Short mmCIF file of all heavy atoms in Angstrom, two decimals:
data_model
loop_
_atom_site.label_atom_id
_atom_site.label_comp_id
_atom_site.label_asym_id
_atom_site.label_seq_id
_atom_site.Cartn_x
_atom_site.Cartn_y
_atom_site.Cartn_z
N MET A 1 -23.06 -28.19 -2.78
CA MET A 1 -24.01 -27.65 -3.76
C MET A 1 -23.34 -27.53 -5.12
O MET A 1 -22.29 -26.90 -5.25
CB MET A 1 -24.51 -26.29 -3.29
CG MET A 1 -25.97 -26.09 -3.61
SD MET A 1 -26.70 -24.77 -2.62
CE MET A 1 -26.33 -23.35 -3.63
N LEU A 2 -23.93 -28.15 -6.09
CA LEU A 2 -23.33 -28.11 -7.41
C LEU A 2 -23.94 -27.00 -8.26
O LEU A 2 -25.15 -26.78 -8.25
CB LEU A 2 -23.55 -29.45 -8.13
CG LEU A 2 -22.75 -30.63 -7.59
CD1 LEU A 2 -23.22 -31.92 -8.24
CD2 LEU A 2 -21.27 -30.43 -7.83
N ASN A 3 -23.07 -26.31 -8.93
CA ASN A 3 -23.53 -25.31 -9.88
C ASN A 3 -23.77 -25.99 -11.22
O ASN A 3 -22.87 -26.15 -12.02
CB ASN A 3 -22.50 -24.19 -10.01
CG ASN A 3 -23.01 -23.06 -10.89
OD1 ASN A 3 -24.21 -22.97 -11.16
ND2 ASN A 3 -22.12 -22.20 -11.33
N LYS A 4 -24.95 -26.42 -11.43
CA LYS A 4 -25.23 -27.24 -12.62
C LYS A 4 -25.42 -26.37 -13.85
O LYS A 4 -26.18 -25.42 -13.84
CB LYS A 4 -26.51 -28.05 -12.38
CG LYS A 4 -26.28 -29.55 -12.44
CD LYS A 4 -27.59 -30.29 -12.32
CE LYS A 4 -27.51 -31.61 -13.07
NZ LYS A 4 -28.80 -32.29 -13.06
N GLN A 5 -24.69 -26.76 -14.90
CA GLN A 5 -24.84 -26.06 -16.16
C GLN A 5 -26.11 -26.55 -16.85
O GLN A 5 -26.40 -27.72 -16.83
CB GLN A 5 -23.64 -26.36 -17.07
CG GLN A 5 -22.31 -26.00 -16.46
CD GLN A 5 -21.91 -24.56 -16.77
OE1 GLN A 5 -22.65 -23.85 -17.44
NE2 GLN A 5 -20.79 -24.14 -16.26
N PRO A 6 -26.84 -25.65 -17.45
CA PRO A 6 -27.98 -26.11 -18.23
C PRO A 6 -27.51 -26.94 -19.42
O PRO A 6 -26.57 -26.55 -20.10
CB PRO A 6 -28.65 -24.80 -18.71
CG PRO A 6 -27.59 -23.76 -18.60
CD PRO A 6 -26.64 -24.21 -17.51
N SER A 7 -28.10 -28.08 -19.61
CA SER A 7 -27.66 -28.94 -20.71
C SER A 7 -28.27 -28.47 -22.01
O SER A 7 -29.44 -28.14 -22.08
CB SER A 7 -28.03 -30.39 -20.43
OG SER A 7 -29.42 -30.52 -20.36
N ASN A 8 -27.42 -28.43 -23.01
CA ASN A 8 -27.87 -28.02 -24.33
C ASN A 8 -27.40 -29.07 -25.33
O ASN A 8 -26.22 -29.12 -25.65
CB ASN A 8 -27.28 -26.64 -24.67
CG ASN A 8 -27.82 -26.13 -25.99
OD1 ASN A 8 -28.37 -26.89 -26.78
ND2 ASN A 8 -27.68 -24.84 -26.22
N PRO A 9 -28.28 -29.92 -25.79
CA PRO A 9 -27.87 -31.03 -26.64
C PRO A 9 -27.29 -30.59 -27.97
O PRO A 9 -26.60 -31.36 -28.63
CB PRO A 9 -29.16 -31.82 -26.85
CG PRO A 9 -30.27 -30.88 -26.50
CD PRO A 9 -29.70 -29.90 -25.51
N SER A 10 -27.51 -29.35 -28.39
CA SER A 10 -26.98 -28.90 -29.67
C SER A 10 -25.56 -28.40 -29.52
O SER A 10 -24.87 -28.12 -30.49
CB SER A 10 -27.86 -27.81 -30.27
OG SER A 10 -27.73 -26.62 -29.53
N MET A 11 -25.09 -28.28 -28.29
CA MET A 11 -23.72 -27.81 -28.08
C MET A 11 -22.82 -28.98 -27.72
O MET A 11 -23.16 -29.82 -26.90
CB MET A 11 -23.68 -26.78 -26.96
CG MET A 11 -23.81 -25.35 -27.48
SD MET A 11 -23.73 -24.16 -26.15
CE MET A 11 -22.00 -24.28 -25.69
N THR A 12 -21.65 -29.00 -28.32
CA THR A 12 -20.69 -30.04 -28.02
C THR A 12 -19.72 -29.54 -26.97
O THR A 12 -19.27 -28.41 -27.02
CB THR A 12 -19.91 -30.44 -29.28
OG1 THR A 12 -20.84 -30.70 -30.32
CG2 THR A 12 -19.07 -31.67 -29.03
N THR A 13 -19.43 -30.37 -26.02
CA THR A 13 -18.46 -30.00 -25.00
C THR A 13 -17.09 -29.81 -25.64
O THR A 13 -16.64 -30.68 -26.38
CB THR A 13 -18.35 -31.10 -23.94
OG1 THR A 13 -19.66 -31.39 -23.46
CG2 THR A 13 -17.47 -30.66 -22.79
N PRO A 14 -16.45 -28.68 -25.39
CA PRO A 14 -15.12 -28.46 -25.96
C PRO A 14 -14.15 -29.53 -25.49
O PRO A 14 -14.19 -29.97 -24.34
CB PRO A 14 -14.72 -27.09 -25.41
CG PRO A 14 -15.99 -26.43 -25.00
CD PRO A 14 -16.91 -27.56 -24.59
N GLU A 15 -13.29 -29.93 -26.41
CA GLU A 15 -12.30 -30.93 -26.08
C GLU A 15 -11.06 -30.28 -25.50
O GLU A 15 -10.72 -29.16 -25.86
CB GLU A 15 -11.88 -31.69 -27.33
CG GLU A 15 -12.91 -32.66 -27.85
CD GLU A 15 -12.36 -33.36 -29.08
OE1 GLU A 15 -11.42 -34.16 -28.93
OE2 GLU A 15 -12.86 -33.09 -30.16
N THR A 16 -10.41 -31.01 -24.64
CA THR A 16 -9.11 -30.57 -24.17
C THR A 16 -8.06 -31.45 -24.82
O THR A 16 -8.12 -32.67 -24.72
CB THR A 16 -9.01 -30.68 -22.65
OG1 THR A 16 -10.01 -29.85 -22.06
CG2 THR A 16 -7.65 -30.23 -22.17
N ILE A 17 -7.14 -30.82 -25.52
CA ILE A 17 -6.11 -31.55 -26.24
C ILE A 17 -4.77 -31.36 -25.53
O ILE A 17 -4.34 -30.23 -25.33
CB ILE A 17 -5.98 -31.04 -27.70
CG1 ILE A 17 -7.35 -30.85 -28.34
CG2 ILE A 17 -5.08 -31.95 -28.50
CD1 ILE A 17 -8.11 -32.11 -28.61
N LEU A 18 -4.16 -32.46 -25.18
CA LEU A 18 -2.84 -32.36 -24.57
C LEU A 18 -1.78 -32.27 -25.66
O LEU A 18 -1.82 -33.01 -26.64
CB LEU A 18 -2.56 -33.58 -23.69
CG LEU A 18 -3.39 -33.69 -22.41
CD1 LEU A 18 -3.00 -34.96 -21.66
CD2 LEU A 18 -3.18 -32.48 -21.52
N VAL A 19 -0.84 -31.37 -25.48
CA VAL A 19 0.27 -31.26 -26.42
C VAL A 19 1.58 -31.38 -25.66
O VAL A 19 1.63 -31.18 -24.44
CB VAL A 19 0.23 -29.91 -27.18
CG1 VAL A 19 -1.04 -29.81 -28.01
CG2 VAL A 19 0.34 -28.75 -26.23
N GLU A 20 2.63 -31.71 -26.41
CA GLU A 20 3.93 -31.86 -25.78
C GLU A 20 4.38 -30.54 -25.16
O GLU A 20 4.14 -29.47 -25.70
CB GLU A 20 4.97 -32.30 -26.81
CG GLU A 20 4.80 -33.75 -27.22
CD GLU A 20 5.87 -34.13 -28.24
OE1 GLU A 20 7.02 -33.68 -28.08
OE2 GLU A 20 5.54 -34.85 -29.18
N ASP A 21 5.06 -30.67 -24.06
CA ASP A 21 5.51 -29.48 -23.36
C ASP A 21 6.49 -28.67 -24.20
O ASP A 21 6.61 -27.46 -24.04
CB ASP A 21 6.16 -29.88 -22.04
CG ASP A 21 6.53 -28.66 -21.20
OD1 ASP A 21 5.62 -27.91 -20.87
OD2 ASP A 21 7.71 -28.48 -20.92
N SER A 22 7.18 -29.35 -25.11
CA SER A 22 8.18 -28.66 -25.92
C SER A 22 7.56 -27.89 -27.08
O SER A 22 8.22 -27.10 -27.73
CB SER A 22 9.20 -29.67 -26.46
OG SER A 22 8.52 -30.68 -27.19
N ALA A 23 6.30 -28.14 -27.33
CA ALA A 23 5.65 -27.46 -28.45
C ALA A 23 5.48 -25.97 -28.14
O ALA A 23 5.18 -25.60 -27.01
CB ALA A 23 4.29 -28.08 -28.72
N ASP A 24 5.72 -25.14 -29.16
CA ASP A 24 5.46 -23.72 -28.92
C ASP A 24 4.28 -23.22 -29.75
O ASP A 24 3.91 -22.06 -29.68
CB ASP A 24 6.70 -22.87 -29.14
CG ASP A 24 7.35 -23.12 -30.48
OD1 ASP A 24 6.65 -23.55 -31.41
OD2 ASP A 24 8.55 -22.89 -30.60
N SER A 25 3.72 -24.13 -30.54
CA SER A 25 2.52 -23.75 -31.26
C SER A 25 1.71 -25.00 -31.55
O SER A 25 2.22 -26.12 -31.49
CB SER A 25 2.87 -23.03 -32.56
OG SER A 25 3.54 -23.90 -33.44
N VAL A 26 0.45 -24.82 -31.84
CA VAL A 26 -0.41 -25.95 -32.18
C VAL A 26 -1.16 -25.61 -33.45
O VAL A 26 -1.36 -24.44 -33.80
CB VAL A 26 -1.42 -26.26 -31.06
CG1 VAL A 26 -0.71 -26.79 -29.82
CG2 VAL A 26 -2.28 -25.06 -30.73
N ALA A 27 -1.57 -26.65 -34.14
CA ALA A 27 -2.43 -26.47 -35.31
C ALA A 27 -3.77 -27.10 -35.00
O ALA A 27 -3.84 -28.15 -34.39
CB ALA A 27 -1.80 -27.15 -36.52
N CYS A 28 -4.82 -26.43 -35.39
CA CYS A 28 -6.16 -26.98 -35.16
C CYS A 28 -6.97 -26.86 -36.43
O CYS A 28 -6.99 -25.81 -37.08
CB CYS A 28 -6.84 -26.24 -34.01
SG CYS A 28 -8.46 -26.93 -33.61
N ASP A 29 -7.63 -27.94 -36.78
CA ASP A 29 -8.58 -27.86 -37.90
C ASP A 29 -9.96 -28.31 -37.45
O ASP A 29 -10.86 -28.53 -38.25
CB ASP A 29 -8.09 -28.68 -39.09
CG ASP A 29 -8.02 -30.17 -38.79
OD1 ASP A 29 -8.35 -30.57 -37.68
OD2 ASP A 29 -7.62 -30.92 -39.69
N GLY A 30 -10.10 -28.42 -36.14
CA GLY A 30 -11.40 -28.77 -35.59
C GLY A 30 -11.74 -30.23 -35.66
O GLY A 30 -12.77 -30.66 -35.17
N GLY A 31 -10.85 -31.01 -36.28
CA GLY A 31 -11.14 -32.43 -36.43
C GLY A 31 -12.23 -32.65 -37.47
O GLY A 31 -12.59 -31.76 -38.22
N ASN A 32 -12.74 -33.83 -37.47
CA ASN A 32 -13.80 -34.15 -38.42
C ASN A 32 -15.15 -33.78 -37.85
O ASN A 32 -15.30 -33.58 -36.66
CB ASN A 32 -13.76 -35.64 -38.77
CG ASN A 32 -12.45 -36.01 -39.45
OD1 ASN A 32 -11.99 -35.30 -40.34
ND2 ASN A 32 -11.86 -37.09 -39.01
N GLY A 33 -16.13 -33.70 -38.71
CA GLY A 33 -17.48 -33.47 -38.23
C GLY A 33 -17.86 -32.01 -38.24
O GLY A 33 -17.19 -31.18 -38.84
N PRO A 34 -18.91 -31.68 -37.53
CA PRO A 34 -19.48 -30.33 -37.59
C PRO A 34 -18.56 -29.25 -37.07
O PRO A 34 -18.73 -28.08 -37.40
CB PRO A 34 -20.74 -30.43 -36.72
CG PRO A 34 -20.54 -31.63 -35.85
CD PRO A 34 -19.68 -32.56 -36.64
N LEU A 35 -17.56 -29.63 -36.27
CA LEU A 35 -16.67 -28.62 -35.72
C LEU A 35 -15.48 -28.34 -36.62
O LEU A 35 -14.63 -27.53 -36.28
CB LEU A 35 -16.19 -29.04 -34.33
CG LEU A 35 -17.24 -28.97 -33.23
CD1 LEU A 35 -16.64 -29.41 -31.91
CD2 LEU A 35 -17.80 -27.56 -33.10
N GLY A 36 -15.40 -29.02 -37.75
CA GLY A 36 -14.26 -28.82 -38.63
C GLY A 36 -14.18 -27.38 -39.12
O GLY A 36 -15.18 -26.71 -39.31
N HIS A 37 -12.97 -26.90 -39.31
CA HIS A 37 -12.77 -25.53 -39.81
C HIS A 37 -11.42 -25.49 -40.50
O HIS A 37 -10.61 -26.40 -40.33
CB HIS A 37 -12.85 -24.52 -38.67
CG HIS A 37 -11.86 -24.75 -37.56
ND1 HIS A 37 -10.51 -24.52 -37.70
CD2 HIS A 37 -12.03 -25.21 -36.30
CE1 HIS A 37 -9.91 -24.82 -36.57
NE2 HIS A 37 -10.80 -25.27 -35.70
N PRO A 38 -11.15 -24.42 -41.28
CA PRO A 38 -9.83 -24.31 -41.92
C PRO A 38 -8.73 -24.38 -40.88
O PRO A 38 -8.91 -23.88 -39.76
CB PRO A 38 -9.87 -22.94 -42.59
CG PRO A 38 -11.31 -22.61 -42.74
CD PRO A 38 -12.02 -23.29 -41.58
N ILE A 39 -7.62 -24.98 -41.24
CA ILE A 39 -6.56 -25.15 -40.26
C ILE A 39 -6.00 -23.80 -39.82
O ILE A 39 -5.80 -22.90 -40.63
CB ILE A 39 -5.45 -26.09 -40.80
CG1 ILE A 39 -4.52 -26.51 -39.67
CG2 ILE A 39 -4.69 -25.43 -41.96
CD1 ILE A 39 -3.68 -27.74 -40.01
N VAL A 40 -5.82 -23.67 -38.54
CA VAL A 40 -5.27 -22.44 -37.98
C VAL A 40 -4.16 -22.82 -37.01
O VAL A 40 -4.17 -23.90 -36.43
CB VAL A 40 -6.33 -21.60 -37.24
CG1 VAL A 40 -7.23 -20.88 -38.22
CG2 VAL A 40 -7.15 -22.44 -36.29
N TYR A 41 -3.22 -21.92 -36.83
CA TYR A 41 -2.11 -22.17 -35.94
C TYR A 41 -2.14 -21.18 -34.79
O TYR A 41 -2.42 -19.99 -34.98
CB TYR A 41 -0.79 -22.03 -36.70
CG TYR A 41 -0.63 -23.07 -37.78
CD1 TYR A 41 -1.11 -22.83 -39.07
CD2 TYR A 41 -0.03 -24.29 -37.50
CE1 TYR A 41 -0.99 -23.79 -40.05
CE2 TYR A 41 0.09 -25.26 -38.48
CZ TYR A 41 -0.39 -25.01 -39.76
OH TYR A 41 -0.29 -25.95 -40.73
N TYR A 42 -1.87 -21.70 -33.63
CA TYR A 42 -1.84 -20.83 -32.46
C TYR A 42 -0.48 -20.99 -31.79
O TYR A 42 0.01 -22.10 -31.62
CB TYR A 42 -2.93 -21.23 -31.46
CG TYR A 42 -4.32 -20.99 -32.00
CD1 TYR A 42 -5.05 -22.03 -32.57
CD2 TYR A 42 -4.89 -19.72 -31.95
CE1 TYR A 42 -6.31 -21.81 -33.08
CE2 TYR A 42 -6.16 -19.49 -32.46
CZ TYR A 42 -6.87 -20.53 -33.02
OH TYR A 42 -8.11 -20.31 -33.52
N SER A 43 0.08 -19.88 -31.40
CA SER A 43 1.33 -19.91 -30.66
C SER A 43 1.04 -19.86 -29.17
O SER A 43 0.16 -19.12 -28.72
CB SER A 43 2.20 -18.73 -31.07
OG SER A 43 3.31 -18.64 -30.20
N PHE A 44 1.77 -20.65 -28.40
CA PHE A 44 1.58 -20.61 -26.95
C PHE A 44 2.06 -19.28 -26.38
O PHE A 44 1.52 -18.79 -25.40
CB PHE A 44 2.31 -21.77 -26.28
CG PHE A 44 1.51 -23.05 -26.35
CD1 PHE A 44 1.81 -24.03 -27.28
CD2 PHE A 44 0.46 -23.26 -25.49
CE1 PHE A 44 1.08 -25.20 -27.36
CE2 PHE A 44 -0.29 -24.43 -25.56
CZ PHE A 44 0.02 -25.40 -26.49
N ASP A 45 3.07 -18.71 -27.03
CA ASP A 45 3.49 -17.37 -26.67
C ASP A 45 3.73 -17.23 -25.17
O ASP A 45 3.27 -16.29 -24.53
CB ASP A 45 2.43 -16.37 -27.14
CG ASP A 45 3.01 -14.96 -27.27
OD1 ASP A 45 4.24 -14.85 -27.40
OD2 ASP A 45 2.23 -14.00 -27.25
N GLY A 46 4.40 -18.22 -24.59
CA GLY A 46 4.72 -18.15 -23.17
C GLY A 46 3.64 -18.71 -22.26
O GLY A 46 3.87 -18.93 -21.08
N LYS A 47 2.47 -18.93 -22.81
CA LYS A 47 1.39 -19.49 -22.00
C LYS A 47 1.44 -21.01 -22.08
O LYS A 47 2.16 -21.58 -22.88
CB LYS A 47 0.03 -18.99 -22.50
CG LYS A 47 -0.13 -17.49 -22.38
CD LYS A 47 -1.46 -17.04 -22.97
CE LYS A 47 -1.45 -17.18 -24.49
NZ LYS A 47 -2.66 -16.60 -25.11
N SER A 48 0.68 -21.67 -21.24
CA SER A 48 0.64 -23.13 -21.30
C SER A 48 -0.72 -23.62 -21.80
O SER A 48 -0.94 -24.82 -21.92
CB SER A 48 0.93 -23.72 -19.92
OG SER A 48 0.07 -23.16 -18.95
N VAL A 49 -1.60 -22.69 -22.09
CA VAL A 49 -2.93 -23.06 -22.58
C VAL A 49 -3.33 -22.11 -23.70
O VAL A 49 -3.15 -20.91 -23.59
CB VAL A 49 -3.98 -22.96 -21.44
CG1 VAL A 49 -5.37 -23.28 -21.96
CG2 VAL A 49 -3.63 -23.89 -20.28
N VAL A 50 -3.81 -22.66 -24.78
CA VAL A 50 -4.40 -21.82 -25.82
C VAL A 50 -5.76 -22.40 -26.19
O VAL A 50 -5.99 -23.61 -26.11
CB VAL A 50 -3.53 -21.70 -27.08
CG1 VAL A 50 -2.27 -20.92 -26.81
CG2 VAL A 50 -3.24 -23.05 -27.68
N GLU A 51 -6.63 -21.54 -26.58
CA GLU A 51 -7.97 -21.97 -26.95
C GLU A 51 -8.22 -21.62 -28.40
O GLU A 51 -7.93 -20.52 -28.84
CB GLU A 51 -8.98 -21.26 -26.04
CG GLU A 51 -10.40 -21.76 -26.22
CD GLU A 51 -11.37 -21.03 -25.28
OE1 GLU A 51 -10.96 -20.66 -24.17
OE2 GLU A 51 -12.52 -20.82 -25.70
N CYS A 52 -8.79 -22.58 -29.13
CA CYS A 52 -9.08 -22.34 -30.53
C CYS A 52 -10.32 -21.46 -30.64
O CYS A 52 -11.36 -21.76 -30.08
CB CYS A 52 -9.30 -23.65 -31.26
SG CYS A 52 -9.75 -23.41 -33.00
N GLY A 53 -10.17 -20.37 -31.38
CA GLY A 53 -11.29 -19.45 -31.53
C GLY A 53 -12.39 -19.98 -32.42
O GLY A 53 -13.50 -19.46 -32.41
N TYR A 54 -12.08 -21.02 -33.20
CA TYR A 54 -13.10 -21.59 -34.08
C TYR A 54 -13.96 -22.63 -33.36
O TYR A 54 -15.18 -22.58 -33.42
CB TYR A 54 -12.44 -22.26 -35.29
CG TYR A 54 -11.94 -21.29 -36.33
CD1 TYR A 54 -10.65 -20.80 -36.26
CD2 TYR A 54 -12.76 -20.91 -37.39
CE1 TYR A 54 -10.17 -19.93 -37.22
CE2 TYR A 54 -12.29 -20.04 -38.34
CZ TYR A 54 -11.00 -19.55 -38.27
OH TYR A 54 -10.53 -18.69 -39.21
N CYS A 55 -13.29 -23.58 -32.74
CA CYS A 55 -14.04 -24.73 -32.24
C CYS A 55 -13.97 -24.86 -30.72
O CYS A 55 -14.51 -25.80 -30.16
CB CYS A 55 -13.53 -26.01 -32.90
SG CYS A 55 -11.83 -26.41 -32.47
N ASP A 56 -13.33 -23.90 -30.07
CA ASP A 56 -13.29 -23.88 -28.60
C ASP A 56 -12.50 -25.02 -28.00
O ASP A 56 -12.56 -25.24 -26.79
CB ASP A 56 -14.70 -23.87 -28.00
CG ASP A 56 -15.40 -22.53 -28.23
OD1 ASP A 56 -14.68 -21.54 -28.48
OD2 ASP A 56 -16.62 -22.49 -28.17
N ARG A 57 -11.79 -25.76 -28.83
CA ARG A 57 -10.89 -26.75 -28.25
C ARG A 57 -9.84 -26.03 -27.43
O ARG A 57 -9.39 -24.94 -27.78
CB ARG A 57 -10.19 -27.53 -29.35
CG ARG A 57 -11.00 -28.69 -29.86
CD ARG A 57 -10.21 -29.40 -30.93
NE ARG A 57 -10.84 -30.64 -31.34
CZ ARG A 57 -10.35 -31.45 -32.28
NH1 ARG A 57 -9.25 -31.11 -32.90
NH2 ARG A 57 -10.96 -32.55 -32.58
N VAL A 58 -9.44 -26.67 -26.35
CA VAL A 58 -8.44 -26.09 -25.48
C VAL A 58 -7.18 -26.95 -25.57
O VAL A 58 -7.23 -28.17 -25.37
CB VAL A 58 -8.93 -26.01 -24.03
CG1 VAL A 58 -7.85 -25.42 -23.13
CG2 VAL A 58 -10.21 -25.17 -23.96
N PHE A 59 -6.08 -26.33 -25.89
CA PHE A 59 -4.82 -27.04 -25.98
C PHE A 59 -4.01 -26.74 -24.72
O PHE A 59 -3.76 -25.59 -24.39
CB PHE A 59 -4.04 -26.58 -27.22
CG PHE A 59 -4.74 -26.98 -28.51
CD1 PHE A 59 -5.73 -26.18 -29.04
CD2 PHE A 59 -4.43 -28.17 -29.13
CE1 PHE A 59 -6.39 -26.53 -30.21
CE2 PHE A 59 -5.08 -28.54 -30.29
CZ PHE A 59 -6.06 -27.73 -30.83
N VAL A 60 -3.63 -27.81 -24.06
CA VAL A 60 -2.94 -27.68 -22.78
C VAL A 60 -1.62 -28.42 -22.88
O VAL A 60 -1.57 -29.58 -23.30
CB VAL A 60 -3.78 -28.27 -21.63
CG1 VAL A 60 -3.06 -28.09 -20.30
CG2 VAL A 60 -5.16 -27.61 -21.59
N LYS A 61 -0.56 -27.77 -22.45
CA LYS A 61 0.72 -28.45 -22.43
C LYS A 61 0.68 -29.57 -21.39
O LYS A 61 0.21 -29.38 -20.26
CB LYS A 61 1.85 -27.47 -22.10
CG LYS A 61 2.12 -26.54 -23.27
CD LYS A 61 3.47 -25.88 -23.14
CE LYS A 61 3.77 -25.06 -24.39
NZ LYS A 61 5.13 -24.50 -24.33
N ALA A 62 1.20 -30.72 -21.79
CA ALA A 62 1.06 -31.92 -20.98
C ALA A 62 1.61 -31.73 -19.56
O ALA A 62 1.07 -32.24 -18.60
CB ALA A 62 1.76 -33.09 -21.65
N LYS A 63 2.68 -30.98 -19.44
CA LYS A 63 3.30 -30.80 -18.14
C LYS A 63 2.40 -30.03 -17.19
O LYS A 63 2.52 -30.13 -15.97
CB LYS A 63 4.62 -30.02 -18.32
CG LYS A 63 5.80 -30.72 -17.67
CD LYS A 63 7.04 -29.88 -17.85
CE LYS A 63 8.28 -30.75 -17.81
NZ LYS A 63 9.49 -30.00 -18.17
N THR A 64 1.51 -29.25 -17.73
CA THR A 64 0.66 -28.39 -16.90
C THR A 64 -0.37 -29.23 -16.15
O THR A 64 -0.81 -28.86 -15.07
CB THR A 64 -0.08 -27.37 -17.79
OG1 THR A 64 0.86 -26.78 -18.67
CG2 THR A 64 -0.77 -26.31 -16.95
N VAL A 65 -0.76 -30.34 -16.74
CA VAL A 65 -1.83 -31.13 -16.15
C VAL A 65 -1.29 -32.01 -15.03
O VAL A 65 -0.27 -32.66 -15.21
CB VAL A 65 -2.51 -32.01 -17.22
CG1 VAL A 65 -3.66 -32.81 -16.61
CG2 VAL A 65 -3.02 -31.13 -18.34
ZN1 LIG B 101 -10.18 -25.52 -33.73
#
C-alpha cells in the first residue's frame, strides 16, 4: 500500500544536493528560477545533512548516500 502524496503542481520537489564528504559547510542561493534567494551558508556542524531554510534543498554528504 502506497502512501500517496497529494500532487501540487505549484510546488517544486526539493532537490537533494550531494556535497563532498570533506565539506563542513555549504552555500545555497537556490539556483536559478523561482527558488532563487540571497546566498546563505549552512554549517554541517557534525551532521551529514542540512536543509536550506529558503528553498528546502537538502544537502547530503556524498559518503552518507
Ligand atoms: Zn537554498
Side-chain angles (χ1 to χ4, degrees):
M1 217 161 87
L2 289 171
N3 186 15
K4 241 185 150 185
Q5 302 271 0
S7 63
N8 185 343
S10 71
M11 267 181 71
T12 310
T13 307
E15 287 181 69
T16 300
I17 315 291
L18 291 180
V19 298
E20 287 180 39
D21 186 60
S22 56
D24 52 25
S25 65
V26 292
C28 183
D29 64 1
N32 297 315
L35 288 180
H37 59 71
I39 192 162
V40 284
Y41 295 89
Y42 294 98
S43 171
F44 278 101
D45 201 21
K47 297 176 290 187
S48 54
V49 177
V50 292
E51 187 179 327
C52 177
Y54 284 90
C55 65
D56 289 339
R57 275 180 172 180
V58 179
F59 294 85
V60 182
K61 288 198 175 185
K63 232 182 206 172
T64 312
V65 182

